[in-house]
Amino acid sequence: MNDGKTRKDIYPGLLVNIILKKNQRSGELTEGIVKDILTSSPYHSRGIKVRLTDGQIGRVAEILEDED
């Protein structure tokens, strides 16, 4: 399963589940389409930070659409 911690696996247009900052404790997931990648490092232990097309920002918890 792709857990969204590696930047090269994430690109605009990808369908993902993210955890919003306000939902970090509960772990509640928000589904959306990646618009921008906000993390510059190639790997992040808590997930790559992205902006969704609806403007919400969070860390990728899982990638839903996998084109491998």
Side-chain angles (χ1 to χ4, degrees):
M1 184 190 113
N2 200 327
D3 55 11
K5 294 180 180 177
T6 307
R7 191 174 186 270
K8 69 175 172 55
D9 295 335
I10 297 167
Y11 50 87
L14 191 66
L15 182 64
V16 296
N17 271 334
I18 66 167
I19 298 179
L20 302 173
K21 184 85 173 165
K22 65 177 181 167
N23 294 334
Q24 276 177 346
R25 287 196 197 283
S26 68
E28 182 185 334
L29 298 174
T30 303
E31 186 175 311
I33 306 286
V34 175
K35 181 181 179 205
D36 301 305
I37 300 171
L38 304 177
T39 299
S40 57
S41 62
Y43 176 85
H44 194 289
S45 60
R46 292 195 311 274
I48 299 296
K49 189 177 275 189
V50 297
R51 179 182 294 115
L52 300 180
T53 52
D54 64 5
Q56 295 187 93
I57 293 174
R59 294 195 182 276
V60 176
E62 56 189 0
I63 294 173
L64 301 177
E65 181 183 276
D66 204 5
E67 299 187 358
D68 281 347

